[in-house]
């Protein structure tokens, strides 16, 4: 409880490893915290699964899973250092942009870190669900997935939500949610086959500091008492979804929606407070929407330039080049169109015929 208190009140994002060995128990102290980040290994060779009921007091009887995230190292101590470095990078990037909302709120840092994690390394990744409602937001073994600082960088770079449709990357700090809800909308364009959607919502488990003798407080007389856990949920609806996708755990202080292939359309994302705690103050939301699209190949004469069409304004594109289709494609540059068409002057030798492959810069 002291650990969670420091994390929520002292603006310290604490990162702790679980034990090595897939048959070991998740450490009962730092490994089972609410407000920190618990780390395992990409290989799965670490303790994982449910938190112990002996730790879950004050109305919570177990059901959370750890770790929160994994990294590709040979021991959990090394993976923990890697994730701590990633968290430091997130803080440093936000600080360099004078973004105090991120630097002063560790639940937002945690949401950005976990939203950036990837799952393609884990074909069996699963957060348990029932009738399209996720009741366990993270995978038993791999948590939110493998840390990917590049994805977290994109989330910070995109900036805070400022109204209108959500961008493809970004974050929001939800204040004074109370008993109401907050809704967002986003569009997956018709030009793509589908999109991978990752949304992470995090909030603090609040801990109060109490002295047995308030008139003469002594460190050994301090008790750290958890308050009731706020019960939030996130819901994804719209598009071709016949039933909303919901993340609604009653025992976690995070919710997570992951859809590997969401069809084009207009969607709504809603954050709700189910707990009846009208004084709930803040929650942190981070998201990334990565487009899935087959490569577009065009053969051109380079001195004429290339006009790419049917583009998505505001989306970054990569241009890859090959002298012939049997040679490897190499990255040339990226661009961000402001309209549905974009003319690009290929840098190859004049008169040469080259092959160009256009990709989303996800």
């Amino acid at each position: 409880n002291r650990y969670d208190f420091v994390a929520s009140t002292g603006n310290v994002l604490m990162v702790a490893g679980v034990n090595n060995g897939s048959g070991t128990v998740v450490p009962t102290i730092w490994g089972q915290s609410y407000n920190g980040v618990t780390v395992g290994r990409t290989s799965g060779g670490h303790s994982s699964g449910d938190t112990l009921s002996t730790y879950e007091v004050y109305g919570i009887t177990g059901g959370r899973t750890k770790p929160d995230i994994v990294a590709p190292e040979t021991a959990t101590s090394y993976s923990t250092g890697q994730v701590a470095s990633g968290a430091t990078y997130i803080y440093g990037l936000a600080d360099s942009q004078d973004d105090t909302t991120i630097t002063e709120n560790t639940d937002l840092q945690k949401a950005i870190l976990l939203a950036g994690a990837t799952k393609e390394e884990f074909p069996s990744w699963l957060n348990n669900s029932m009738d399209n409602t996720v009741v366990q937001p993270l995978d038993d073994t791999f948590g939110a997935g493998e840390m990917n600082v590049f994805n977290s960088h994109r989330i910070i770079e995109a900036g805070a939500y400022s109204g209108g449709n959500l961008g493809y990357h970004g974050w929001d700090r939800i204040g004074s949610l109370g008993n109401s809800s907050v809704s967002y909308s986003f569009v997956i364009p018709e030009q793509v086959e589908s999109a991978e959607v990752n949304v992470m919502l995090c909030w603090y488990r609040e801990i109060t500091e109490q002295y047995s003798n308030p008139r003469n407080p002594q460190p050994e007389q301090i008790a750290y008492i958890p308050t009731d856990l706020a019960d939030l949920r996130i819901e994804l609806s719209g598009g071709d979804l016949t039933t909303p996708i919901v993340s609604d755990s009653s025992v976690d202080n995070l919710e997570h929606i992951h859809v590997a292939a969401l069809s084009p359309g207009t969607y709504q994302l809603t954050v709700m407070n189910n707990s009846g705690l009208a004084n709930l103050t803040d929650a942190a939301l981070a998201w990334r929407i990565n487009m899935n699209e087959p490569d577009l190949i065009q053969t051109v004469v380079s001195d004429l330039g290339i006009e790419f069409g049917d583009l998505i304004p505001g989306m970054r594109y990569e241009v890859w080049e090959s002298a012939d289709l049997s040679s490897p494609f190499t990255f040339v540059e990226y661009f961000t169109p402001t309209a549905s068409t974009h003319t690009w002057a290929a840098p190859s030798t004049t008169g040469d015929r080259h092959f160009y492959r256009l990709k989303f810069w996800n």
Side-chain angles (χ1 to χ4, degrees):
N1 291 338
R2 164 74 180 169
Y3 186 92
D4 283 334
F5 174 80
V6 172
S8 61
T9 63
N11 191 31
V12 180
L13 181 61
M14 293 187 278
V15 181
V18 293
N19 289 321
N20 287 298
S22 58
T24 59
V25 176
V26 176
T28 56
I29 304 297
W30 316 134
Q32 299 192 30
S33 69
Y34 284 87
N35 296 335
V37 175
T38 306
V39 183
R41 300 162 54 191
T42 298
S43 67
H46 56 262
S47 55
S48 61
D50 284 354
T51 54
L52 299 178
S53 59
T54 53
Y55 180 77
E56 307 293 0
V57 293
Y58 306 102
I60 304 299
T61 57
R64 295 184 301 130
T65 61
K66 293 292 181 175
D68 299 308
I69 197 169
V70 297
E73 283 290 355
T74 57
T76 57
S77 54
Y78 302 148
S79 293
T80 301
Q82 203 172 68
V83 172
S85 295
T88 303
Y89 178 84
I90 289 171
Y91 182 94
L93 177 62
D95 185 55
S96 70
Q97 298 180 172
D98 295 323
D99 199 326
T100 56
T101 304
I102 296 177
T103 60
E104 294 179 1
N105 294 284
T106 56
D107 58 345
L108 181 54
Q109 296 166 32
K110 180 177 179 178
I112 292 171
L113 183 69
L114 298 186
T118 55
K119 300 168 178 64
E120 55 263 29
E121 300 87 355
F122 316 108
S124 62
W125 190 95
L126 178 68
N127 50 0
N128 291 338
S129 61
M130 180 176 61
D131 296 331
N132 239 30
T133 296
V134 174
V135 293
Q136 177 188 305
L138 304 181
D139 182 85
D140 279 336
T141 304
F142 304 109
E146 183 179 278
M147 181 183 70
N148 187 304
V149 175
F150 174 71
N151 287 338
S152 295
H153 178 111
R154 293 290 306 278
I155 292 171
I156 297 173
E157 179 188 50
Y161 174 71
S162 58
N165 284 335
L166 290 180
Y168 299 124
H169 296 77
W171 57 268
D172 192 22
R173 181 74 175 169
I174 305 170
S176 302
L177 185 59
N179 289 319
S180 59
S181 63
V182 178
S183 294
Y184 310 83
S185 63
F186 64 90
V187 176
I188 298 177
E190 293 294 334
Q191 296 97 314
V192 304
E193 286 189 341
S194 62
E196 178 193 1
V197 176
N198 284 278
V199 181
M200 187 67 64
L201 180 72
C202 296
W203 63 99
Y204 293 126
R205 177 139 204 214
E206 300 292 349
I207 311 291
T208 61
E209 188 177 53
Q210 296 182 9
Y211 291 87
S212 58
N213 184 1
R215 293 187 177 184
N216 184 26
Q218 300 297 322
E220 65 272 13
Q221 298 175 333
I222 301 174
Y224 296 94
I225 309 299
T227 61
D228 290 335
L229 179 65
D231 181 14
L232 306 188
R233 65 183 258 155
I234 47 178
E235 180 177 300
L236 178 64
S237 60
D240 65 351
L241 293 175
T242 56
T243 304
I245 298 174
V246 178
S247 180
D248 188 14
S249 168
S250 62
V251 297
D252 288 276
N253 62 329
L254 60 82
E255 301 290 355
H256 180 37
I257 286 180
H258 165 69
V259 185
L262 197 62
S263 300
T266 300
Y267 294 87
Q268 292 75 46
L269 183 69
T270 304
V271 178
M272 290 166 271
N273 176 14
N274 291 340
S275 60
L277 300 176
N279 61 345
L280 180 70
T281 54
D282 297 298
L285 185 72
W287 65 88
R288 62 181 178 91
I289 303 170
N290 296 99
M291 305 302 170
N292 302 319
E293 178 193 49
D295 295 334
L296 305 176
I297 303 175
Q298 299 191 25
T299 305
V300 300
V301 177
S302 61
D303 59 347
L304 299 180
I306 308 171
E307 182 174 287
F308 296 115
D310 202 25
L311 303 177
I312 304 170
M315 172 67 70
R316 290 186 182 181
Y317 290 86
E318 292 180 346
V319 180
W320 291 65
E321 178 186 51
S322 175
D324 53 73
L325 287 178
S326 62
S327 300
F329 278 83
T330 59
F331 172 74
V332 181
E333 65 182 49
Y334 67 81
F335 65 89
T336 303
T338 57
S340 60
T341 61
H342 180 80
T343 301
W344 179 75
S348 304
T349 304
T350 301
D352 286 349
R353 294 183 67 84
H354 282 246
F355 294 85
Y356 293 90
R357 181 169 288 177
L358 189 64
K359 300 181 181 181
F360 287 129
W361 193 62
N362 277 327

